[in-house]
C-alpha cells in the first residue's frame, strides 16, 4: 500500500500510528508482521531500494510521488503488483 500525506510531520505521526497498529496485529496473527517505512526526501539513497523491495506499506508525500515514483515507475512495478 502507498499512503500519501501532505507533510513530513504528518507522515511521521502517521508512521508511528500505523506501526503501533501493525505491531498489535502481529501479536494477534502468530508473529506475521507488516513492514512499514517512509520514503521521502530524507530517506537515504542506499535505503530506497530496500524500502521499495521489502515494504508492505510505504508512506510518502506528493513531492516524492512526482520526483521519484512516477519517473521511475518501472522500478516500482513489483511493489504495486502485490
Amino acid at each position: 500500500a502507498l499512503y500519501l500525506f501532505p507533510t513530513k510531520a504528518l507522515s511521521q505521526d502517521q508512521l508511528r500510528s500505523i506501526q503501533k497498529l501493525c505491531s498489535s496485529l502481529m501479536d494477534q496473527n502468530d508473529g506475521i508482521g507488516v513492514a512499514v517505512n517512509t520514503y521521502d526526501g530524507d530517506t537515504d539513497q542506499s535505503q530506497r531500494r530496500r524500502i521499495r523491495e521489502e515494504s508492505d506499506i510505504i508512506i510518502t508525500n506528493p513531492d516524492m510521488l512526482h520526483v521519484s515514483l512516477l519517473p521511475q515507475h518501472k522500478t516500482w512495478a513489483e511493489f504495486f503488483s502485490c
Side-chain angles (χ1 to χ4, degrees), residues 36-54:
V36 183
N37 291 288
T38 57
Y39 189 97
D40 59 29
D42 292 336
T43 304
D44 191 81
Q45 198 73 18
S46 64
Q47 294 179 353
R48 291 182 182 193
R49 174 180 271 181
R50 180 194 58 78
I51 289 171
R52 188 176 60 242
E53 292 175 353
E54 298 177 6

Side-chain angles (χ1 to χ4, degrees), residues 5-6 8 13 19 31 33 40 57 60 80:
F5 294 101
K8 287 183 188 180
D13 187 45
Q19 286 175 328
D40 59 29
I57 299 173
T60 192
F80 288 116

Side-chain angles (χ1 to χ4, degrees), residues 5-16 38 59-61:
F5 294 101
T7 65
K8 287 183 188 180
L10 182 56
S11 293
Q12 291 301 316
D13 187 45
Q14 293 303 308
L15 173 66
R16 286 187 292 276
T38 57
I59 299 171
T60 192
N61 56 52

Side-chain angles (χ1 to χ4, degrees), residues 66-81:
H66 177 72
V67 171
S68 184
L69 277 72
L70 294 177
Q72 303 294 325
H73 66 277
K74 289 182 182 179
T75 62
W76 287 88
E78 186 175 338
F79 176 78
F80 288 116
S81 68

